[in-house]
């Protein structure tokens, strides 16, 4: 079970961005490494997953790219800046403050869910931001496959499963 941090929780962590240095950056880099967010294209075009050498306490371009990849996985704004929501997601390993989506929901966040459901192989409808019957069926398929209660609603546990869908293709 995922340890959920409430939306109002504030972690006592500094905002980090490119150029930051120190122990907090090392902590960030360890968490990003744990989640497999450090990924580079090797000279042959294959994925390269580095080891502990990336934990140097310097927030450079590689760390920024890893932050953006992690933010993408957990449905956060992909700005490469580590603020409170990114810290929360890093500590819980899950998306934070996501809305509950169900049949009839509309908007950009529905599109994001549809895109991830499509990557997971559960959805082949239009990525249109309209949570209709096809999207509901896809959510139920994902829930069945991952052992969740099957209700066709995207709540915290379903968001967590969607965040685990592979989004790195190299």
């Amino acid at each position: 079970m995922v340890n959920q941090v409430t939306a109002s929780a504030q972690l006592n962590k500094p905002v980090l961005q490119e150029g930051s240095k120190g122990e907090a950056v090392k902590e960030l880099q360890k968490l990003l490494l744990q989640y497999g967010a450090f990924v580079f294209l090797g000279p042959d075009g294959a994925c390269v997953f580095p080891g502990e050498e990336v934990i140097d306490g310097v927030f450079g371009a590689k760390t920024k790219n890893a932050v953006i990849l992690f933010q993408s996985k957990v449905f956060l704004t992909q700005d490469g800046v580590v603020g409170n929501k990114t810290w929360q997601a890093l500590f819980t390993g899950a998306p934070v403050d996501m809305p509950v989506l169900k049949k009839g929901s509309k908007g950009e966040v529905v599109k994001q869910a549809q895109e991830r459901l499509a990557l997971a192989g559960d959805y082949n409808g239009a990525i249109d931001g309209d949570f209709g019957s096809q999207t509901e069926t896809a959510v139920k398929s994902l829930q069945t496959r991952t052992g969740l209660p099957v209700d066709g609603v995207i709540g915290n546990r379903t968001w967590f499963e969607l965040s685990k869908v592979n989004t790195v293709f190299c």
Side-chain angles (χ1 to χ4, degrees), residues 17 27-28 44 53 69 73-74 76 78 81 83 93 105 110-111 114 117 119-120 140 155 160 164 169:
Q17 59 194 344
E27 181 180 19
L28 166 67
D44 60 355
E53 70 274 7
L69 177 64
K73 287 188 75 56
V74 294
L76 289 171
Q78 298 162 44
V81 176
S105 296
V110 174
K111 276 186 182 179
Q114 289 171 327
L117 287 162
L119 284 174
K140 287 179 178 179
F160 175 66
K164 295 191 316 187
F169 304 97

Side-chain angles (χ1 to χ4, degrees), residues 107 109-119 123 126-132 135 154:
V109 73
V110 174
K111 276 186 182 179
Q112 291 177 325
Q114 289 171 327
E115 288 168 353
R116 203 63 62 92
L117 287 162
L119 284 174
Y123 182 70
I127 309 293
D128 58 7
D130 187 359
F131 196 129
T135 304
I154 303 176

Side-chain angles (χ1 to χ4, degrees), residues 45-138:
C47 285
V48 175
F49 294 92
E52 301 276 325
E53 70 274 7
V54 296
I55 302 170
D56 61 4
V58 178
F59 195 131
K62 288 180 179 179
T63 299
K64 181 177 180 177
N65 289 339
V67 169
I68 290 169
L69 177 64
F70 178 79
Q71 289 171 326
S72 169
K73 287 188 75 56
V74 294
F75 305 96
L76 289 171
T77 301
Q78 298 162 44
D79 59 6
V81 176
V82 183
N84 194 57
K85 281 192 180 186
T86 301
W87 278 116
Q88 285 182 29
L90 283 161
F91 283 119
T92 62
V96 293
D97 294 342
M98 296 303 292
V100 173
L101 299 179
K102 58 187 176 202
K103 198 169 180 181
S105 296
K106 294 184 185 324
E108 190 59 36
V109 73
V110 174
K111 276 186 182 179
Q112 291 177 325
Q114 289 171 327
E115 288 168 353
R116 203 63 62 92
L117 287 162
L119 284 174
D122 295 297
Y123 182 70
N124 60 6
I127 309 293
D128 58 7
D130 187 359
F131 196 129
S133 297
Q134 261 190 302
T135 304
E136 183 181 52
T137 299

